[in-house]
Amino acid sequence: MKKIILATIVMLFAIASTVGQEEITGKWNGILNIQGTQLRLVLDVEKADTGFKSKLYSLDQGGQAIPVTTTTFKNSVLNFEAVLIGASYQGELIDKSIKGTFKQGGLNLQLVLSREKNEKQKLKRPQEPKEPFPYYSEDVVFKNEKANVSLAGTLTLPKREGKFPVVVLITGSGPQDRNEELVGHKPFLVISDYFTKKGIAVLRYDDRGFGKSTGNFRTATSEDFALDVESAVTYLKTRKEINKNKIGLVGHSEGGMIAPIVAVNSKDVNFIVLLAGTGIPGDELLLLQGALIERVSGKTEEEINESKQVRAKVLQMVKSSKEVVVLKEEMFSYLDKAVESRETEIPQGVAKEDFIKMHVSQMTSSWMINFIKYNPAKTLEKVKCAVLAVNGEKDLQVPPKENLTAIEEALKKANNKKVTIMEFPKLNHLFQKSETGAPSEYGILEETFSEDALAKIADWILEQVK
């Protein structure tokens, strides 16, 4: 549920140009600051038959070349549009740098492009551990044989020799590295460090198709990611340092939805920890999440109700769909009418057709369709191992009241007597102390993960592995 705007803001940029090559050709570097996250961009402009062609590279999102559509450069002013994500940029070339504004999804972000390579501003992250670590750390690679995917990660052990209980960390939605890095925070690095110092081994790994792991992330669903976790458990059983009877899973957000799937399918899982895990169906969660985030963002109740009606209709389309091609056509037609009747607003300067295409593409991906249709309670009703489910009071992405209640009720149906439920006051979706819980606060806050929450979670795990 971490799919905040930064997840798509520079995924599909597009740029071209029309200017004298001596002024604009070559590489331009810049840093886009989005809600506390710094994204390093490189724009590479080349001469073409009809002017210029360009590619953009987002170094912090994989570094693959991003194709460009339209750009103009006139009277020292650079303009470009990123069609697929409804983004635009206007900047003026002054003293060998281009200073301007990047617009997308209602955000206006300052972006300066220059010939010099830019270094990220160092953020204050006091909890982030630094080497040398007082424990053994090893880079590892293991394979999901069923999917022919190799997963690269890090295994930390309290000591090089011994036999230890272990947990596998499972990331939330969106492509994540082994540290689950988001808005300058590395929560899985912090969790791994804390647990390992407490005597618990930890395996964390890059999602398939991301970092050093192979495979295709974009075509994968939660069930596919569950198979990756199963392969992690299988790998741990080959390690002489691991107590095979004390293997647990710790999943955050979507990872908290995946952990129960693995626990049901694998007899090797001794316990699971759900960090802001979901207990209600995906469509219900997205409706709640949307309204809560819009409210804390300052929208009126009338605006929230209007967008909720449109969102509910789109979600219902997905939930009742059987063929993706038909779903895309129906959704495009509905959103087209919603825009015309002003039920849905388009950011200024964004073409209507491009705006609708972007939303249709997002809502009809394999992952999203599966997520919307999936009811985690049905899986939780089959979980027999020990379960710790925790949430932050101010979590707006996976609201605690609805989800913790649903999780508890589902586990009662499983007749599971080994269940602990905790709600931490003032903590948000990332388990940071927060004023509002808004995603916009994530990158601003220095805390990565509440130490009080870490202590209680670690104590619970240690109780399970006695």
Side-chain angles (χ1 to χ4, degrees):
M1 314 324 359
K2 292 188 293 296
K3 282 188 177 176
I4 58 179
I5 195 167
L6 67 95
T8 58
I9 200 160
V10 290
M11 289 299 292
L12 293 168
F13 267 121
I15 302 180
S17 35
T18 57
V19 68
Q21 69 182 77
E22 69 282 355
E23 294 179 336
I24 202 68
T25 55
K27 293 183 178 180
W28 296 87
N29 305 285
I31 293 181
L32 198 61
N33 288 283
I34 310 163
Q35 298 174 340
T37 292
Q38 299 175 68
L39 297 177
R40 293 171 297 160
L41 308 179
V42 176
L43 173 65
D44 193 0
V45 183
E46 299 177 5
K47 185 174 173 55
D49 293 338
T50 57
F52 296 88
K53 60 182 180 180
S54 301
K55 291 181 181 178
L56 190 77
Y57 301 85
S58 178
L59 303 183
D60 298 298
Q61 293 183 308
Q64 296 90 351
I66 302 167
V68 171
T69 50
T70 58
T71 297
T72 61
F73 188 86
K74 188 175 182 180
N75 297 327
S76 298
V77 176
L78 171 70
N79 285 275
F80 69 75
E81 288 186 79
V83 174
L84 291 179
I85 60 169
S88 63
Y89 175 80
Q90 182 178 89
E92 184 177 3
L93 177 60
I94 304 174
D95 295 331
K96 298 182 180 181
S97 65
I98 304 171
K99 300 177 181 179
T101 303
F102 174 81
K103 298 181 179 181
Q104 197 264 353
L107 292 177
N108 294 328
L109 306 168
Q110 297 304 305
L111 177 60
V112 178
L113 300 172
S114 71
R115 301 294 190 182
E116 302 296 324
K117 289 186 178 180
N118 292 302
E119 296 295 331
K120 287 185 177 182
Q121 179 184 358
K122 289 187 177 181
L123 300 172
K124 290 183 179 180
R125 299 292 183 250
Q127 288 178 284
E128 188 172 313
K130 305 296 180 185
E131 296 188 59
F133 303 127
Y135 48 79
Y136 177 71
S137 180
E138 177 184 344
D139 287 338
V140 300
V141 177
F142 55 95
K143 193 164 185 178
N144 176 343
E145 298 289 352
K146 293 180 181 179
N148 193 28
V149 169
S150 293
L151 299 156
T154 300
L155 175 64
T156 54
L157 302 167
K159 297 178 181 179
R160 191 180 186 114
E161 301 291 335
K163 217 170 191 63
F164 308 102
V166 67
V167 296
V168 179
L169 302 187
I170 313 170
T171 64
S173 59
Q176 303 286 318
D177 67 11
R178 67 193 70 187
N179 295 325
E180 203 191 32
E181 185 166 355
L182 176 72
V183 292
H185 288 284
K186 299 177 181 178
F188 276 16
L189 175 60
V190 171
I191 293 171
S192 174
D193 179 76
Y194 190 92
F195 285 0
T196 309
K197 289 176 180 175
K198 290 284 187 177
I200 305 163
V202 179
L203 174 62
R204 65 191 197 276
Y205 60 91
D206 301 331
D207 289 344
R208 64 162 70 186
F210 196 74
K212 295 182 179 180
S213 294
T214 67
N216 190 334
F217 182 90
R218 293 186 181 183
T219 59
T221 65
S222 298
E223 279 76 12
D224 296 314
F225 300 134
L227 292 176
D228 292 342
V229 178
E230 286 184 33
S231 69
V233 173
T234 300
Y235 166 72
L236 287 171
K237 290 170 62 183
T238 69
R239 299 287 303 226
K240 61 181 176 59
E241 309 95 334
I242 299 303
N243 186 327
K244 300 173 181 59
N245 297 317
K246 297 179 180 179
I247 299 175
L249 309 176
V250 178
H252 178 231
S253 199
E254 184 195 1
M257 185 177 83
I258 293 169
I261 297 174
V262 181
V264 169
N265 294 333
S266 174
K267 295 180 180 179
D268 298 314
V269 176
N270 181 247
F271 62 89
I272 59 177
V273 178
L274 315 182
L275 304 175
T278 62
I280 61 178
D283 60 327
E284 294 180 22
L285 180 67
L286 292 176
L287 278 176
L288 271 173
Q289 181 186 104
L292 288 169
I293 292 176
E294 286 179 353
R295 187 169 289 113
V296 79
S297 298
K299 288 199 173 184
T300 65
E301 290 303 312
E302 183 179 2
E303 291 172 327
I304 292 170
N305 288 331
E306 287 178 354
S307 62
K308 184 177 181 180
Q309 290 175 14
V310 174
R311 191 178 293 116
K313 177 63 177 178
V314 169
L315 290 170
Q316 183 55 44
M317 285 181 174
V318 174
K319 199 168 184 179
S320 61
S321 67
K322 295 181 179 179
E323 295 183 17
V324 176
V325 174
V326 175
L327 172 62
K328 287 182 177 181
E329 292 175 352
E330 291 179 346
M331 191 178 297
F332 189 96
S333 177
Y334 170 72
L335 290 176
D336 184 55
K337 292 177 182 177
V339 170
E340 286 297 323
S341 62
R342 292 186 174 276
E343 293 176 27
T344 297
E345 293 185 6
I346 297 179
Q348 186 176 1
V350 178
K352 181 180 76 171
E353 185 173 352
D354 296 334
F355 175 82
I356 296 173
K357 281 182 178 179
M358 176 186 69
H359 283 278
V360 171
S361 177
Q362 290 175 344
M363 297 303 296
T364 58
S365 69
S366 298
W367 182 90
M368 183 62 80
I369 291 174
N370 179 77
F371 177 77
I372 290 170
K373 293 185 176 184
Y374 183 71
N375 184 357
K378 298 300 181 183
T379 301
L380 287 162
E381 290 171 8
K382 302 174 186 176
V383 174
K384 302 299 182 181
C385 68
V387 180
L388 171 63
V390 299
N391 259 86
E393 174 198 8
K394 293 187 178 295
D395 190 338
L396 304 183
Q397 293 188 249
V398 182
K401 178 183 177 182
E402 293 81 3
N403 286 280
L404 287 180
T405 299
I407 290 170
E408 188 170 20
E409 290 178 352
L411 290 169
K412 283 182 181 177
K413 291 182 180 179
N415 198 30
N416 191 331
K417 305 296 184 182
K418 299 171 288 186
V419 178
T420 303
I421 306 292
M422 296 183 189
E423 181 179 329
F424 293 100
K426 298 184 178 180
L427 300 191
N428 61 19
H429 187 61
L430 299 189
F431 292 86
Q432 303 165 299
K433 294 183 184 68
S434 172
E435 291 297 322
T436 68
S440 58
E441 286 185 337
Y442 297 167
I444 299 170
L445 299 171
E446 291 185 10
E447 183 178 53
T448 294
F449 202 105
S450 163
E451 290 198 15
D452 179 55
L454 276 173
K456 287 183 169 56
I457 294 165
D459 287 346
W460 183 89
I461 293 174
L462 291 171
E463 279 293 317
Q464 311 312 306
V465 299
K466 278 183 177 179

